[in-house]
Amino acid sequence: MIRAVRRLRGQPSAVRFLLLLLLLAGFGALLLVAPRPDVAELPRLADRLGTAAPVAAILGGALLLVALVPRTFITLAAGAIFGPLEGAGYALCAALLAAALGFAVGRLLGRDFVAERVRGRLARLDHWFARQSVLGVVTVRLLPIAGFGLVSYGYGTTGARMLPFLAGSVLASAPTAFGYAAVGAAVTSPGDVNWFAATPAALGLVASVVLIRGWWRAERQRRPGLS
């Protein structure tokens, strides 16, 4: 694995960037032709896995997110298998792992190409990503600009730091994780779901709004000309 990474690093930046584009295109094509599993059947699969089911859910969910599968489906499936609270927790773990993998791949394959070619406004945008705090990452994550996996790859190509990116990714994912997990649980066991388990989703949404507003006010104070 380490040897393969070293070989990739030795390739020209344009070749690595082309590999990144081909990887994303391949994932996109796969999403169009891959069969859609029945969420209601997933608990039976988990029963067969036994105690390994949580680990399999986290690793499998992370790989699916890296393959550009929407996070909504991953969280619904986790809720259907494990219930609203545990499902949300496992979905967030999968999101954290997927964010790290996507960022690392984007950094390896795309960062050098981008850094060598950004000029003018794009260079200022790249510097903005490099200076981003956790709140800035939360803000970008909550904007409906792209899927979870695609944003992870994109961040890797910028000068952003990994730790704030990972923390912001988890915070931005938390508001919907509990709500979607509760919906997924209701698909398989509608009578057993305590909808108060979705309360953290509402609290997370409020917290996200507060965080975004705080970040925006800080940006306006730092840059008085910001409208």
Side-chain angles (χ1 to χ4, degrees), residues 137-195:
V137 177
V138 170
T139 304
V140 174
R141 276 291 192 191
L142 292 178
L143 294 174
I145 53 177
F148 186 90
L150 199 57
V151 171
S152 299
Y153 289 115
Y155 256 94
T157 66
T158 71
R161 295 166 295 157
M162 178 176 274
L163 289 181
F165 169 72
L166 294 181
S169 296
V170 173
L171 286 176
S173 301
T176 55
F178 292 93
Y180 284 131
V183 172
V187 171
T188 53
S189 303
D192 298 334
V193 176
N194 178 3
W195 285 95

Coordinates of all heavy atoms in Angstrom, one line a residue, residues 137-195:
V137 N -16.1 24.9 7.7 CA -16.4 23.6 7.1 C -17.8 23.2 7.3 O -18.5 22.7 6.4 CB -15.5 22.5 7.7 CG1 -15.8 21.1 7.1 CG2 -14.0 22.8 7.5
V138 N -18.4 23.5 8.5 CA -19.8 23.2 8.7 C -20.6 24.0 7.7 O -21.6 23.4 7.2 CB -20.2 23.6 10.2 CG1 -21.7 23.5 10.4 CG2 -19.5 22.7 11.2
T139 N -20.3 25.2 7.5 CA -21.1 26.1 6.6 C -21.1 25.5 5.2 O -22.1 25.4 4.6 CB -20.5 27.5 6.6 OG1 -20.5 28.0 7.9 CG2 -21.4 28.4 5.7
V140 N -19.9 25.1 4.7 CA -19.8 24.6 3.4 C -20.6 23.2 3.3 O -21.3 22.9 2.3 CB -18.3 24.4 2.9 CG1 -18.2 23.7 1.6 CG2 -17.7 25.8 2.9
R141 N -20.4 22.4 4.3 CA -21.1 21.1 4.3 C -22.6 21.2 4.2 O -23.3 20.4 3.6 CB -20.7 20.3 5.6 CG -19.4 19.6 5.5 CD -19.5 18.4 4.5 NE -18.3 17.5 4.6 CZ -18.1 16.5 3.8 NH1 -18.8 16.4 2.7 NH2 -17.0 15.8 4.0
L142 N -23.1 22.3 4.9 CA -24.6 22.4 4.9 C -25.1 23.0 3.7 O -26.4 23.0 3.4 CB -25.0 23.3 6.1 CG -24.7 22.6 7.5 CD1 -25.1 23.5 8.6 CD2 -25.5 21.3 7.6
L143 N -24.3 23.6 2.8 CA -24.8 24.2 1.6 C -25.1 23.1 0.6 O -24.3 22.1 0.5 CB -23.7 25.1 1.0 CG -23.4 26.4 1.7 CD1 -22.2 27.1 1.1 CD2 -24.6 27.3 1.8
P144 N -26.2 23.1 -0.1 CA -26.6 22.1 -1.1 C -25.8 22.2 -2.4 O -26.4 22.4 -3.4 CB -28.1 22.3 -1.2 CG -28.2 23.8 -1.1 CD -27.2 24.2 0.0
I145 N -24.5 22.0 -2.3 CA -23.7 22.2 -3.5 C -23.3 20.9 -4.1 O -23.1 20.8 -5.4 CB -22.5 23.1 -3.3 CG1 -21.7 22.5 -2.1 CG2 -22.9 24.5 -3.0 CD1 -20.4 23.3 -1.8
A146 N -23.1 19.9 -3.3 CA -22.6 18.6 -3.8 C -22.9 17.5 -2.7 O -23.1 17.8 -1.6 CB -21.2 18.6 -4.2
G147 N -22.7 16.2 -3.1 CA -22.9 15.2 -2.2 C -21.7 15.1 -1.2 O -20.7 15.7 -1.4
F148 N -21.9 14.3 -0.2 CA -20.9 14.2 0.9 C -19.6 13.7 0.4 O -18.6 14.4 0.7 CB -21.5 13.2 2.0 CG -20.6 13.1 3.2 CD1 -20.9 14.0 4.3 CD2 -19.5 12.2 3.3 CE1 -20.1 13.9 5.4 CE2 -18.8 12.2 4.4 CZ -19.0 13.0 5.5
G149 N -19.6 12.7 -0.4 CA -18.3 12.2 -0.9 C -17.6 13.1 -1.8 O -16.4 13.3 -1.7
L150 N -18.3 13.8 -2.7 CA -17.7 14.7 -3.6 C -17.1 15.9 -2.9 O -16.0 16.4 -3.3 CB -18.8 15.2 -4.6 CG -18.3 15.8 -6.0 CD1 -17.4 14.8 -6.7 CD2 -19.4 16.2 -6.8
V151 N -17.8 16.4 -1.9 CA -17.2 17.5 -1.1 C -15.9 17.1 -0.4 O -14.9 17.8 -0.4 CB -18.2 18.0 -0.1 CG1 -17.6 19.0 0.9 CG2 -19.4 18.7 -0.8
S152 N -15.8 15.8 0.0 CA -14.6 15.3 0.7 C -13.5 15.3 -0.3 O -12.3 15.8 0.0 CB -14.9 13.9 1.2 OG -15.9 13.9 2.2
Y153 N -13.7 14.8 -1.5 CA -12.6 14.8 -2.5 C -12.2 16.3 -2.8 O -11.0 16.6 -3.0 CB -13.1 14.1 -3.8 CG -13.3 12.6 -3.7 CD1 -14.5 12.0 -3.8 CD2 -12.2 11.8 -3.5 CE1 -14.7 10.7 -3.7 CE2 -12.3 10.4 -3.4 CZ -13.5 9.9 -3.5 OH -13.7 8.5 -3.4
G154 N -13.2 17.1 -3.0 CA -12.9 18.5 -3.4 C -12.1 19.2 -2.3 O -11.1 19.9 -2.6
Y155 N -12.4 19.0 -1.0 CA -11.6 19.6 0.0 C -10.2 19.1 0.0 O -9.3 19.9 0.3 CB -12.2 19.3 1.4 CG -13.0 20.5 2.0 CD1 -14.4 20.6 1.8 CD2 -12.4 21.4 2.7 CE1 -15.1 21.6 2.3 CE2 -13.1 22.5 3.3 CZ -14.4 22.6 3.1 OH -15.1 23.7 3.6
G156 N -10.0 17.9 -0.4 CA -8.6 17.4 -0.4 C -7.7 18.1 -1.4 O -6.5 18.2 -1.3
T157 N -8.4 18.6 -2.5 CA -7.6 19.3 -3.5 C -7.3 20.7 -3.2 O -6.5 21.4 -3.9 CB -8.4 19.3 -4.9 OG1 -9.6 20.1 -4.7 CG2 -8.8 17.9 -5.3
T158 N -7.8 21.2 -2.1 CA -7.6 22.6 -1.6 C -6.5 22.5 -0.6 O -6.0 21.5 -0.2 CB -8.8 23.2 -1.0 OG1 -9.1 22.6 0.2 CG2 -10.0 23.1 -2.0
G159 N -6.2 23.7 -0.1 CA -5.2 23.8 1.0 C -5.7 23.6 2.4 O -5.1 24.0 3.4
A160 N -7.0 23.1 2.5 CA -7.6 22.9 3.8 C -6.8 22.0 4.7 O -6.2 21.0 4.2 CB -9.1 22.4 3.6
R161 N -7.0 22.2 6.0 CA -6.3 21.3 7.0 C -7.3 20.1 7.3 O -8.5 20.3 7.3 CB -6.0 22.0 8.2 CG -4.9 23.1 8.0 CD -4.8 24.0 9.2 NE -6.0 24.8 9.4 CZ -6.5 25.3 10.5 NH1 -5.8 25.1 11.6 NH2 -7.6 26.0 10.5
M162 N -6.8 19.0 7.5 CA -7.6 17.8 7.7 C -8.4 17.8 9.0 O -9.6 17.5 9.0 CB -6.8 16.5 7.6 CG -7.6 15.2 7.9 SD -6.8 13.7 7.7 CE -6.9 13.4 5.9
L163 N -7.8 18.1 10.1 CA -8.5 18.0 11.4 C -9.8 19.0 11.5 O -10.8 18.5 11.8 CB -7.6 18.3 12.6 CG -6.5 17.2 12.8 CD1 -5.7 17.6 14.0 CD2 -7.2 15.9 13.1
P164 N -9.6 20.3 11.1 CA -10.9 21.1 11.1 C -11.9 20.5 10.1 O -13.1 20.6 10.3 CB -10.4 22.5 10.7 CG -8.9 22.5 11.0 CD -8.5 21.1 10.8
F165 N -11.4 20.0 9.0 CA -12.3 19.4 8.0 C -13.1 18.3 8.6 O -14.3 18.1 8.4 CB -11.6 19.0 6.7 CG -12.4 18.2 5.8 CD1 -13.4 18.8 5.0 CD2 -12.2 16.8 5.7 CE1 -14.2 18.0 4.2 CE2 -13.0 16.1 4.8 CZ -14.0 16.7 4.1
L166 N -12.4 17.4 9.3 CA -13.1 16.2 9.8 C -14.1 16.6 10.9 O -15.2 16.1 11.0 CB -12.1 15.2 10.4 CG -11.1 14.6 9.4 CD1 -10.2 13.6 10.0 CD2 -11.9 13.8 8.3
A167 N -13.7 17.5 11.8 CA -14.6 17.9 12.8 C -15.8 18.6 12.3 O -16.9 18.4 12.7 CB -13.8 18.9 13.8
G168 N -15.6 19.5 11.3 CA -16.7 20.2 10.7 C -17.6 19.2 9.9 O -18.9 19.4 9.9
S169 N -17.1 18.2 9.3 CA -17.9 17.2 8.6 C -18.8 16.5 9.5 O -20.0 16.2 9.2 CB -17.0 16.2 7.9 OG -16.2 16.9 6.9
V170 N -18.3 16.1 10.7 CA -19.2 15.4 11.7 C -20.2 16.3 12.2 O -21.4 15.9 12.4 CB -18.3 14.8 12.8 CG1 -19.2 14.2 13.9 CG2 -17.4 13.7 12.2
L171 N -19.9 17.5 12.6 CA -20.9 18.4 13.1 C -22.0 18.7 12.1 O -23.1 18.8 12.5 CB -20.2 19.7 13.5 CG -19.3 19.7 14.8 CD1 -18.6 21.0 15.0 CD2 -20.2 19.4 16.0
A172 N -21.6 18.9 10.9 CA -22.6 19.2 9.8 C -23.5 18.0 9.6 O -24.6 18.1 9.2 CB -21.9 19.6 8.6
S173 N -22.9 16.8 9.8 CA -23.7 15.5 9.5 C -24.7 15.2 10.7 O -25.7 14.5 10.5 CB -22.8 14.4 9.3 OG -21.9 14.6 8.2
A174 N -24.4 15.7 11.9 CA -25.1 15.3 13.0 C -26.6 15.7 13.0 O -27.5 14.9 13.4 CB -24.5 15.9 14.3
P175 N -27.0 16.9 12.5 CA -28.4 17.3 12.6 C -29.3 16.3 11.9 O -30.4 16.0 12.4 CB -28.4 18.7 11.9 CG -27.0 19.2 12.1 CD -26.1 18.0 12.0
T176 N -28.9 15.8 10.7 CA -29.8 14.9 10.0 C -29.6 13.4 10.3 O -30.5 12.6 10.0 CB -29.6 15.1 8.4 OG1 -28.2 14.9 8.1 CG2 -30.0 16.5 8.0
A177 N -28.5 13.1 11.0 CA -28.2 11.7 11.2 C -29.3 11.1 12.1 O -29.8 10.0 11.8 CB -26.9 11.6 11.9
F178 N -29.7 11.7 13.2 CA -30.7 11.1 14.1 C -32.1 11.1 13.4 O -32.8 10.1 13.6 CB -30.7 11.9 15.4 CG -29.5 11.8 16.2 CD1 -28.4 12.7 16.1 CD2 -29.3 10.7 17.1 CE1 -27.3 12.6 16.8 CE2 -28.2 10.6 17.8 CZ -27.1 11.5 17.7
G179 N -32.4 12.1 12.7 CA -33.7 12.1 12.0 C -33.8 11.1 11.0 O -34.8 10.3 11.0
Y180 N -32.9 10.9 10.1 CA -32.9 9.9 9.1 C -32.8 8.5 9.6 O -33.5 7.6 9.1 CB -31.8 10.1 8.0 CG -32.1 11.2 7.1 CD1 -31.1 12.2 6.8 CD2 -33.3 11.3 6.4 CE1 -31.4 13.3 5.9 CE2 -33.5 12.4 5.5 CZ -32.6 13.3 5.3 OH -32.8 14.4 4.4
A181 N -32.0 8.3 10.7 CA -31.9 7.0 11.3 C -33.3 6.6 11.9 O -33.7 5.5 11.9 CB -30.9 7.0 12.4
A182 N -34.0 7.6 12.5 CA -35.3 7.3 13.1 C -36.3 6.9 12.0 O -37.1 6.0 12.1 CB -35.9 8.5 13.8
V183 N -36.2 7.6 10.8 CA -37.1 7.2 9.7 C -36.7 5.8 9.2 O -37.6 5.0 8.9 CB -36.9 8.2 8.5 CG1 -37.6 7.8 7.3 CG2 -37.4 9.6 9.0
G184 N -35.5 5.5 9.1 CA -35.1 4.2 8.7 C -35.5 3.1 9.7 O -36.0 2.0 9.2
A185 N -35.5 3.4 11.0 CA -36.0 2.4 12.0 C -37.5 2.2 11.8 O -38.0 1.1 12.0 CB -35.6 2.9 13.4
A186 N -38.2 3.3 11.5 CA -39.6 3.2 11.3 C -40.0 2.3 10.2 O -41.1 1.7 10.1 CB -40.2 4.6 11.1
V187 N -39.2 2.2 9.2 CA -39.5 1.3 8.0 C -39.6 -0.1 8.4 O -40.4 -0.9 7.9 CB -38.4 1.5 6.9 CG1 -38.6 0.5 5.8 CG2 -38.4 2.9 6.4
T188 N -38.7 -0.6 9.3 CA -38.6 -2.0 9.7 C -39.4 -2.3 11.0 O -39.9 -3.4 11.1 CB -37.2 -2.4 9.9 OG1 -36.5 -1.5 10.8 CG2 -36.4 -2.4 8.6
S189 N -39.5 -1.3 11.9 CA -40.2 -1.5 13.1 C -41.0 -0.3 13.5 O -40.7 0.4 14.4 CB -39.3 -1.9 14.3 OG -38.5 -3.0 14.0
P190 N -42.1 0.0 12.8 CA -42.8 1.2 13.0 C -43.4 1.4 14.4 O -43.6 2.5 14.9 CB -43.9 1.2 11.9 CG -44.0 -0.2 11.6 CD -42.7 -0.8 11.7
G191 N -43.7 0.3 15.0 CA -44.4 0.4 16.3 C -43.4 0.5 17.5 O -43.7 0.8 18.6
D192 N -42.1 0.3 17.2 CA -41.1 0.2 18.2 C -40.3 1.5 18.3 O -39.4 1.7 19.1 CB -40.1 -0.9 18.0 CG -40.8 -2.3 18.1 OD1 -41.9 -2.3 18.8 OD2 -40.3 -3.2 17.5
V193 N -40.5 2.5 17.4 CA -39.7 3.7 17.3 C -40.2 4.7 18.3 O -41.3 5.1 18.2 CB -39.6 4.2 15.9 CG1 -38.8 5.5 15.8 CG2 -39.0 3.2 14.9
N194 N -39.3 5.2 19.1 CA -39.6 6.3 20.0 C -39.1 7.6 19.2 O -37.9 7.8 19.1 CB -38.8 6.1 21.3 CG -39.0 7.3 22.2 OD1 -39.8 8.3 21.9 ND2 -38.4 7.3 23.4
W195 N -40.1 8.3 18.8 CA -39.7 9.5 17.9 C -39.0 10.6 18.7 O -38.4 11.5 18.1 CB -40.9 10.0 17.2 CG -41.3 9.1 16.1 CD1 -42.2 8.1 16.1 CD2 -40.8 9.1 14.8 NE1 -42.3 7.5 14.9 CE2 -41.4 8.1 14.1 CE3 -39.8 9.9 14.1 CZ2 -41.1 7.8 12.8 CZ3 -39.5 9.6 12.8 CH2 -40.1 8.5 12.2

